[in-house]
C-alpha cells in the first residue's frame, strides 16, 4: 500500500493545468450508454474512479480504447443492463448508470453503489423520481431492479437538488417520448456539462444550471467528440494549498466562475486572487487570516467537496473559524487526523469549531475518504517536520498524481511504498 511522505515548510511557485472534472467525466461516461455510435472524450484524467466507470462500461459490452489522452468509446455492442456488486460498489457514480440503462434498454439491474463514506448516501430521490415517471422499481438482495416498459414523460420535483439524481433522471429522459421537467434540479457546473454533452449527442435538453431542466425526448442519439470541463475541486484544493504554504501559483484551464464562492471567501483574507478568462493566480504570504463562519451548500454556494481543505486552512489561520457542513451528515473524518498534527478543532454535529494554531507538526495520519485525504496532504505541506499520509488510494480516486503536481510547485512530497 502506498503512502505519501511530506516534509513541510516549502512555499509553492509555478503553474498547473487543471485536469478534467471527475464529477463531469463520471456522468458523461454513464451517458455514453444512451448512444450506439462512437464517442471520443478528450483530456481523459485517468482517476481511479473514472477507471472504475470504464470497467463498468466494458462489463456492459462497450469497447473502450485510450489514445493520446483521449477515451474512445464504442457503445454499439452493449448487450447487458446489469451491474454486479463488485463493480457497482467501487463508485457512487454506478447509480448514475440506472438512468442511462433505462434510457437504452428500458430495464436495469444495478447493485447498490459505493463511494466516499461521508454519510448514508441514500438513493431515495433517484428512485422516487423514476417511480414518478412510471418506472417499476424493486429493491431486493442488494440490487435495484427497474422496469421502464411503462415509463412516461412528466414532471419530477426533487425534494433536494441531488446532483446524482438530477443526472440520472436527465439521462433516463432523453430517449423518452414527450417532455420531462425536473424541478429543484441541482445547478452544479457538472450538470451543465452533462447537458452540453447530451445536446452534442443530439438530445434536446435545456435549463441546466437554472434549477429547472427540460428534456424533450428524441428517437436516437449520434456519436460526438467532447471535452469535459476542468475540475473545480482540484483547482480549489491547490488554491487553498497556496494560501496555506505561501507562494505564487497560476492555475490554468479552469473557469473562475465555477469557484466564485471560494474566491469570495479566500480573497484578501487567506491570499490574493486574480481571476481572468480560464486562469486563476493565487499569491500568499502564508499567513492566512481566519475565514470566520463558513457554510457549505449546493451550487453556487461553497462546495462541500472543499470543506475538508478549508478546515485544514483554518487550522493554521490567525483567529477562529466555524465550519458548517450542510450537505453530508458525516464529513469530518479528517478532523481526528488533523488533531494528531496539532490542530485545535472541536466538532459538534455538523459544525467544526477551529482555533488557528501557529503551526502544525508532522505526524503519521490516515486518509479516510477522498477530500479528507487531500486536506491531510495540505496540512503536511505546512507542518513542521515529516508527515506520512496512508490510505492514499482515496485521493487517487479524484486527483491524478497529486504528489507530482505539488512537487512541480516546489513541495517536498513523494510517494513511498510500505
Ligand atoms: C455528487 O455526489 C458528487 N459525486 C460528490 O462528490 C459531491 O460531494 C456531491 O455530488 C454534492 O455536490 C459525484 O458527482 C460522483 P447528492 P452525489 O446526491 O450525487 C442526499 C467528491 O468528493 N441524497 O447531491 O451522491 C445525500 O445523502 C464527491 O468528488 C439523498 O438523501 O450527491 C447528501 O446528503 C463526494 N437521497 C445530499 O443529498 C438521494 O437519493 C447531496 O447528495 C440522493 C442524495
Amino acid at each position: 500500500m502506498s503512502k505519501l511522505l511530506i516534509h513541510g515548510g516549502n512555499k509553492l511557485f509555478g503553474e498547473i493545468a487543471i485536469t478534467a472534472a471527475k464529477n463531469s467525466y463520471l456522468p458523461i461516461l454513464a451517458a455514453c450508454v444512451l448512444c450506439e455510435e462512437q464517442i471520443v472524450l478528450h483530456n481523459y484524467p485517468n482517476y481511479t474512479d473514472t477507471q472504475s466507470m470504464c470497467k463498468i462500461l466494458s462489463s456492459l459490452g462497450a469497447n473502450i480504447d485510450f489514445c493520446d489522452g483521449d477515451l474512445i468509446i464504442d457503445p454499439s455492442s452493449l448487450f447487458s443492463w446489469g451491474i454486479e456488486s463488485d463493480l457497482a460498489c467501487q463508485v457512487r457514480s454506478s447509480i448514475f448508470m440506472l438512468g442511462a440503462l433505462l434510457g437504452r434498454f428500458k430495464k436495469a439491474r444495478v447493485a447498490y453503489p459505493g463511494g466516499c463514506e461521508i454519510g448514508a448516501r441514500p438513493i431515495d430521490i433517484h428512485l422516487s423520481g423514476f417511480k414518478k415517471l412510471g418506472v417499476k422499481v424493486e429493491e431486493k438482495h442488494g440490487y435495484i431492479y427497474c422496469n421502464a416498459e411503462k415509463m412516461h414523460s412528466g414532471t419530477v420535483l426533487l425534494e433536494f437538488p441531488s446532483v446524482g439524481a438530477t443526472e440520472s433522471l436527465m439521462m433516463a429522459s432523453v430517449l423518452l417520448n414527450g417532455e420531462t421537467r425536473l424541478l429543484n434540479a441541482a445547478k452544479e457546473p457538472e450538470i451543465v456539462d452533462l447537458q452540453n454533452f447530451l445536446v452534442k449527442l443530439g438530445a434536446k435538453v435545456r435549463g441546466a444550471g437554472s434549477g429547472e431542466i427540460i428534456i424533450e425526448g428524441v428517437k436516437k442519439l449520434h456519436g460526438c467528440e467532447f471535452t469535459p470541463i476542468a475540475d473545480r475541486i482540484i483547482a480549489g484544493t491547490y488554491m487553498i494549498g497556496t494560501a496555506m504554504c505561501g507562494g505564487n501559483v497560476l492555475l490554468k484551464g479552469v473557469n473562475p466562475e465555477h469557484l466564485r464562492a471560494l474566491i469570495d471567501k479566500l480573497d484578501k483574507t487567506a491570499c490574493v486572487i486574480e481571476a481572468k478568462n480560464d486562469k486563476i493566480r493565487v499569491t500568499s504570504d502564508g499567513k492566512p487570516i481566519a475565514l470566520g463562519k463558513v457554510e457549505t451548500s449546493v451550487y453556487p454556494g461553497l462546495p462541500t467537496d472543499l470543506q475538508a481543505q478549508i478546515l485544514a486552512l483554518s487550522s493554521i489561520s490567525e483567529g477562529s473559524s466555524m465550519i458548517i457542513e450542510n450537505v453530508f451528515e458525516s464529513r469530518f473524518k479528517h478532523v481526528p487526523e488533523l488533531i494528531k498534527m496539532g490542530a485545535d478543532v472541536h466538532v459538534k454535529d455538523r459544525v467544526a469549531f477551529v482555533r488557528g494554531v501557529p503551526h502544525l507538526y508532522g505526524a503519521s495520519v490516515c486518509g479516510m475518504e477522498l477530500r479528507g485525504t487531500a486536506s491531510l496532504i495540505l496540512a503536511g505541506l505546512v507542518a513542521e517536520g515529516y508527515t506520512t499520509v496512508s490510505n492514499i488510494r482515496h485521493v487517487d480516486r479524484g486527483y491524478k498524481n497529486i504528489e507530482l503536481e505539488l512537487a512541480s510547485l516546489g513541495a517536498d512530497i513523494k510517494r513511498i511504498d510500505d
Side-chain angles (χ1 to χ4, degrees):
M1 303 275 270
S2 301
K3 288 180 179 175
L4 291 181
L5 176 63
I6 307 166
H7 186 215
N10 293 5
K11 289 184 182 283
L12 303 180
F13 294 94
E15 54 186 60
I16 286 188
I18 299 298
T19 44
K22 168 179 83 76
N23 294 348
S24 260
Y25 240 98
L26 294 173
I28 284 171
L29 284 168
C32 291
V33 161
L34 294 161
C35 180
E36 299 185 42
E37 293 179 11
Q38 181 175 287
I39 292 164
V40 178
L41 299 179
H42 297 301
N43 296 353
Y44 174 64
N46 202 25
Y47 310 125
T48 52
D49 271 12
T50 43
Q51 291 168 13
S52 299
M53 277 300 269
C54 288
K55 281 185 201 144
I56 290 175
L57 283 175
S58 301
S59 74
L60 296 169
N63 290 310
I64 296 183
D65 279 319
F66 305 90
C67 176
D68 297 335
D70 289 346
L71 200 58
I72 301 148
I73 301 159
D74 175 3
S76 59
S77 48
L78 230 64
F79 60 82
S80 167
W81 52 86
I83 302 176
E84 299 308 319
S85 176
D86 59 327
L87 286 175
C89 70
Q90 288 179 26
V91 283
R92 173 72 181 179
S93 48
S94 55
I95 196 65
F96 304 169
M97 298 298 281
L98 209 45
L101 290 168
L102 293 179
R104 173 86 179 250
F105 294 110
K106 298 282 175 258
K107 54 189 170 185
R109 171 184 173 274
V110 177
Y112 283 103
C116 286
E117 292 176 19
I118 49 180
R121 307 195 79 180
I123 56 171
D124 55 317
I125 301 174
H126 295 246
L127 302 187
S128 59
F130 289 130
K131 289 173 187 168
K132 184 84 172 124
L133 298 176
V135 177
K136 191 166 166 295
V137 178
E138 263 192 289
E139 297 178 71
K140 56 185 179 186
H141 312 307
Y143 282 80
I144 305 137
Y145 295 80
C146 291
N147 182 320
E149 290 308 325
K150 295 196 170 63
M151 187 174 182
H152 52 73
S153 53
T155 298
V156 176
L157 170 64
L158 281 78
E159 63 179 276
F160 179 87
S162 154
V163 170
T166 300
E167 292 163 342
S168 211
L169 288 161
M170 284 166 78
M171 290 186 256
S173 308
V174 292
L175 296 171
L176 193 59
N177 244 339
E179 181 178 276
T180 298
R181 292 193 311 150
L182 306 181
L183 306 181
N184 192 30
K187 302 177 181 177
E188 275 67 9
E190 294 77 20
I191 306 277
V192 177
D193 215 26
L194 176 62
Q195 171 179 283
N196 293 340
F197 175 67
L198 291 170
V199 167
K200 207 130 190 240
L201 289 176
K204 290 181 179 167
V205 189
R206 65 183 192 275
S210 74
E212 178 175 350
I213 300 175
I214 314 257
I215 304 108
E216 208 179 307
V218 295
K219 287 261 177 290
K220 203 169 165 55
L221 300 177
H222 52 69
C224 79
E225 289 200 29
F226 191 76
T227 304
I229 56 174
D231 196 303
R232 61 194 169 103
I233 305 302
I234 292 176
T237 303
Y238 293 151
M239 289 167 66
I240 293 166
T242 306
M244 293 173 69
C245 299
N248 185 326
V249 170
L250 178 69
L251 303 173
K252 301 189 296 183
V254 62
N255 182 343
E257 268 324 292
H258 294 167
L259 283 156
R260 181 54 51 204
L262 180 69
I263 290 170
D264 289 353
K265 265 290 171 199
L266 292 186
D267 197 20
K268 311 280 190 302
T269 50
C271 55
V272 174
I273 294 173
E274 300 158 79
K276 195 157 176 258
N277 300 331
D278 66 344
K279 292 182 179 62
I280 301 174
R281 180 175 294 283
V282 184
T283 49
S284 160
D285 60 4
K287 299 186 178 68
I289 309 292
L291 299 179
K293 185 180 173 193
V294 175
E295 287 212 57
T296 66
S297 80
V298 297
Y299 194 85
L302 202 65
T304 173
D305 294 348
L306 288 174
Q307 176 261 103
Q309 301 89 315
I310 287 169
L311 200 149
L313 165 66
S314 302
S315 68
I316 56 146
S317 296
E318 189 188 331
S320 296
S321 302
M322 181 168 73
I323 296 174
I324 303 164
E325 171 54 65
N326 288 316
V327 179
F328 288 101
E329 72 273 22
S330 171
R331 200 166 196 175
F332 285 127
K333 291 196 171 79
H334 41 286
V335 169
E337 302 302 304
L338 288 170
I339 290 170
K340 282 183 198 167
M341 300 175 76
D344 181 350
V345 189
H346 298 277
V347 171
K348 184 158 174 32
D349 299 330
R350 290 193 179 211
V351 185
F353 299 92
V354 188
R355 198 197 317 266
V357 292
H359 58 77
L360 298 176
Y361 38 82
S364 293
V365 291
C366 185
M368 305 288 190
E369 47 87 17
L370 168 52
R371 307 302 175 183
T373 306
S375 80
L376 299 178
I377 293 168
L378 298 186
L381 295 178
V382 298
E384 277 185 4
Y386 285 93
T387 297
T388 56
V389 183
S390 58
N391 277 356
I392 52 167
R393 67 180 187 284
H394 291 300
V395 82
D396 291 337
R397 300 183 57 162
Y399 295 78
K400 187 180 166 195
N401 306 320
I402 189 169
E403 77 279 9
L404 299 182
E405 293 197 322
L406 288 169
S408 75
L409 297 176
D412 183 349
I413 179 173
K414 59 185 175 195
R415 191 175 289 244
I416 55 174
D417 290 322
D418 259 354

